[in-house]
Amino acid sequence: MTVLLLDDRWPSLIPLEAHGRLGGPVEFTEEVPVRVRWNFQDLVAAQGPGVLVSTNEADPRVRSRVRAGEPLIVAESRREPVHQAVRAMTRACSMGEWEAAQTHRSLLPYLAEEAQEFADQVVAWEQDGDERALLGELGDVLLQVLFHAEIAARRGAFDFQAVAESFVDKLRSRSPYLFDGSTGVVPAQEQERLWAKGKARERQIPPGR
């Protein structure tokens, strides 16, 4: 049986390498959306060893078949570093007793510490040019963002993707030239004007809208 591991963000996107290689009965792990299941039979040949479709590499059936050496096709987007970082944080909070016990407030000292260490490294980098050290400290700051987003996701508030979307929405509001096809350099004075205008407009939007 071939294991097809899809990206849970875009489960409808089937890897090109899967086409022509899938045949036989199709099974799905429980989290695969119904909309994906409806059309899947059209992609699978009648004859073949069967297909197990999943978005969860930790599912017992997936792990068992992969350990047994059965063919595995993985959506390329799952190998994206940001996706791997988010999934690693999710697993850390599921498997680590310390991580599971943390709250936004309990993590504040770590956020302050990592931010200060990055600031210190910037000063050091100006002298020694150590890019690897700078990268490492910035990764530690990212860890804090991932951690807080995962805590929020576990209470059903928002996740890391929503954090990124919030960032993009803010830029659309305050720096519209990044999205409207503008070209050339935007003067700093115009940037400041647009930023202030967008910020003022955001304050007029009721919370939750």
Side-chain angles (χ1 to χ4, degrees):
M1 174 174 278
T2 299
V3 177
L4 178 58
L5 197 55
L6 303 175
D7 190 327
D8 56 357
R9 297 169 297 177
W10 308 294
S12 297
L13 299 182
I14 312 300
L16 282 175
E17 62 181 296
H19 292 274
R21 295 178 56 187
L22 306 179
V26 182
E27 300 177 14
F28 300 92
T29 51
E30 62 180 12
E31 82 292 341
V32 177
V34 173
R35 70 180 187 278
V36 175
R37 305 182 188 208
W38 281 343
N39 299 317
F40 216 90
Q41 294 295 342
D42 296 336
L43 303 174
V44 180
Q47 301 299 318
V51 184
L52 175 61
V53 182
S54 181
T55 63
N56 180 14
E57 73 274 16
D59 184 277
R61 285 190 290 168
V62 172
R63 297 177 64 182
S64 174
R65 295 190 179 282
V66 171
R67 281 198 301 266
E70 298 188 18
L72 173 65
I73 300 175
V74 181
E76 190 64 30
S77 56
R78 291 183 64 93
R79 298 187 172 96
E80 175 199 15
V82 172
H83 182 60
Q84 291 186 6
V86 171
R87 294 191 70 84
M89 192 73 252
T90 298
R91 286 178 61 78
C93 289
S94 297
M95 301 174 68
E97 182 178 5
W98 182 85
E99 287 86 349
Q102 299 310 304
T103 65
H104 291 302
R105 182 175 290 275
S106 72
L107 288 175
L108 289 180
Y110 300 98
L111 177 60
E113 178 182 349
E114 298 298 355
Q116 184 58 56
E117 288 183 1
F118 175 71
D120 293 342
Q121 188 57 50
V122 168
V123 175
W125 168 80
E126 291 175 339
Q127 302 299 319
D128 60 25
D130 189 340
E131 303 286 7
R132 182 179 293 275
L134 190 66
L135 172 64
E137 293 298 342
L138 196 55
D140 290 342
V141 174
L142 175 60
L143 168 61
Q144 296 303 309
V145 177
L146 289 165
F147 212 151
H148 283 278
E150 180 61 26
I151 290 173
R154 286 174 178 266
R155 67 171 184 272
F158 57 84
D159 57 12
F160 185 78
Q161 181 171 327
V163 174
E165 290 172 350
S166 175
F167 166 71
V168 172
D169 288 344
K170 181 171 291 187
L171 286 183
R172 287 186 185 279
S173 172
R174 303 183 186 186
S175 303
Y177 50 86
L178 298 175
F179 304 92
D180 63 7
S182 297
T183 59
V185 176
V186 180
Q189 185 175 1
E190 177 65 2
Q191 286 183 291
E192 292 173 1
R193 184 188 72 81
L194 290 171
W195 190 271
K197 180 180 178 181
K199 190 172 184 178
R201 181 172 56 248
E202 292 162 20
R203 289 173 176 168
Q204 298 174 1
I205 300 176
R209 294 290 298 277

